[in-house]
Amino acid sequence: MIDIKNVLILGAGTLGSRVGLQAAISNYHVVIYDIHESALQQSRGVMDKVLRYAVKIQLIKEEDKPSILSRIKFTMNPTEAVVNADIISESVTEDPSIKEKVWKQFGEIAPEKTIFTTNTSYLLPSHFATLSGRPEKFCAFHFHDVFTARVVDIMPHPGTHPDIIPLLFDFGKKLNQVPVLVKKEWPGYMFNFMLMSLIGAAGRLKIKDVGSIEDIDKSWMVNFHMPMGPFGILDNVGLDTAWRVTKDREDEASKSFAALLKSYVDQGKLGEKSGEGFYKYPNPIYKDVEFLKG
Ligand SMILES: NC(=O)c1ccc[n+]([C@@H]2O[C@H](COP(=O)([O-])OP(=O)(O)OC[C@H]3O[C@@H](n4cnc5c(N)ncnc54)[C@H](O)[C@@H]3O)[C@@H](O)[C@H]2O)c1
């Protein structure tokens, strides 16, 4: 099996930027590809912010920053992006038609050696495997926040070659993640599947006006000593991404919750990445020491 050295990230958004940065911290050569120049610009900003955090938690030293950043290239040219890729980690918008287009495109231009992974939150790898032209090398490799939530799900589809799994376990560990195997295709993997129950319940409490956003979050944070509650988590994920994974659900509770998320998205309130969602950033009230006091 291939010795991974060069990593190609498709999509320079919230997750692509984080996965790419962690790969560079772990000494891989990284290319970040996006179709929007603005996304590549924003990605540099996200990386600066995360690097400051990485120094603060002593994951890296301040003087390591230039060499880490020197291992990352940004491009809008797909052919140039893929030329040396040993592995692709795809983090484009959570929309099946966009991902289908991207996998068909990169399936045609990627070198033979390249392993294909998708970071989709709720779609299944078998949806894209055949389309990519190399189902045996296709696997879901799903991160959470990369730096504070470090589980990485490895979820093969029935046609994934068995050798891909230990390779991704090893790669995941080198990326400072904790790999877990999702033995069968399961929408939402394991953590997100559990998280959806919490977020769904929080959404119902808000829609039925049982409590305020702050008090719903406070209930969860105080009792479980958590750094954020369900609405803080949603801001962190991105309300547009959260809306995309909720909007096609059939049950009434999900439909109303999707409508609530959409009302924020329509105002440009996408969560932390846009400066406002359920809370205002960079200093959301739930991070204030007073917030959790009685
Ligand atoms: N946000 C999270 O917390 C989180 C966590 C785990 C996994 N994910 C998954 O990661 C993926 C990306 O989510 P995100 O939150 O980073 O989204 P995002 O909206 O922040 O970023 C998506 C990026 O994809 C780019 N893009 C769109 N079409 C493209 C194309 N054809 N080619 C290349 N780039 C294209 C966009 O320009 C954008 O920069 C989704 O599948 C999502 O489910 C997200």
Side-chain angles (χ1 to χ4, degrees):
M1 267 282 153
I2 195 164
D3 180 20
I4 298 173
K5 290 196 174 74
N6 301 304
V7 179
L8 169 59
I9 307 287
L10 305 181
T14 308
L15 252 285
S17 304
R18 283 172 168 74
V19 177
L21 181 61
Q22 177 58 62
I25 291 173
S26 302
N27 279 311
Y28 293 97
H29 292 279
V30 179
V31 177
I32 311 246
Y33 165 82
D34 204 289
I35 48 168
H36 296 118
E37 176 63 40
S38 58
L40 297 178
Q41 287 302 339
Q42 217 173 342
S43 176
R44 291 182 174 93
V46 169
M47 289 187 185
D48 273 351
K49 194 177 136 204
V50 179
L51 278 175
R52 280 199 295 276
Y53 171 77
V55 172
K56 197 170 140 196
I57 62 164
Q58 297 180 343
L59 179 68
I60 60 161
K61 296 195 186 90
E62 178 70 34
E63 58 267 30
D64 297 336
K65 280 186 185 177
S67 65
I68 292 167
L69 291 172
S70 74
R71 287 192 282 278
I72 305 175
K73 287 202 181 101
F74 297 87
T75 183
M76 290 171 65
N77 180 328
T79 322
E80 204 178 280
V82 81
V83 68
N84 287 321
D86 297 314
I87 189 163
I88 290 180
S89 171
E90 172 269 306
S91 274
V92 305
T93 313
E94 184 79 353
D95 176 323
S97 63
I98 295 178
K99 286 191 191 288
E100 282 163 14
K101 211 173 114 202
V102 165
W103 278 119
K104 193 164 181 313
Q105 177 188 15
F106 280 87
E108 282 164 10
I109 60 175
E112 176 93 28
K113 63 174 181 175
T114 315
I115 290 161
F116 287 175
T117 68
T118 176
N119 192 15
T120 177
S121 295
Y122 285 94
L123 303 166
L124 299 177
S126 56
H127 186 103
F128 308 103
T130 307
L131 198 86
S132 77
R134 57 187 81 172
E136 70 291 349
K137 285 188 175 168
F138 198 102
C139 192
F141 191 49
H142 171 256
F143 296 82
H144 292 85
D145 148 281
V146 182
F147 291 90
T148 56
R150 295 187 304 108
V151 165
V152 64
D153 297 299
I154 296 170
M155 187 169 81
H157 69 95
T160 307
H161 193 288
D163 288 352
I164 297 289
I165 295 166
L167 182 137
L168 289 179
F169 258 85
D170 182 56
F171 184 50
K173 283 184 189 166
K174 287 182 176 146
L175 293 179
N176 198 29
Q177 306 296 296
V178 179
V180 295
L181 178 65
V182 183
K183 295 197 288 181
K184 56 173 78 171
E185 285 198 301
W186 192 261
Y189 310 88
M190 298 191 285
F191 175 78
N192 274 1
F193 187 75
M194 296 187 277
L195 180 65
M196 278 305 274
S197 300
L198 170 70
I199 285 178
R204 282 204 291 286
L205 291 171
K206 167 67 188 145
I207 287 155
K208 297 283 181 195
D209 201 26
V210 177
S212 68
I213 284 171
E214 289 79 8
D215 280 348
I216 295 167
D217 274 2
K218 218 175 257 186
S219 306
W220 186 253
M221 291 168 73
V222 171
N223 277 358
F224 260 0
H225 309 283
M226 290 292 178
M228 58 181 79
F231 289 101
I233 295 172
L234 284 164
D235 273 357
N236 199 255
V237 166
L239 302 191
D240 50 341
T241 298
W243 170 70
R244 279 197 190 87
V245 300
T246 322
K247 71 182 172 60
D248 295 328
R249 292 174 176 253
E250 299 292 330
D251 58 294
E252 283 311 311
S254 297
K255 279 187 185 163
S256 349
F257 191 35
L260 173 72
L261 290 168
K262 184 79 170 31
S263 68
Y264 278 75
V265 172
D266 287 346
Q267 296 173 65
K269 296 180 180 174
L270 307 183
E272 198 172 343
K273 64 182 165 187
S274 71
E276 187 172 351
F278 292 112
Y279 296 93
K280 287 194 173 144
Y281 296 84
N283 299 309
I285 191 171
Y286 68 79
K287 285 196 180 154
D288 191 315
V289 281
E290 293 301 315
F291 186 73
L292 299 181
K293 289 191 178 156

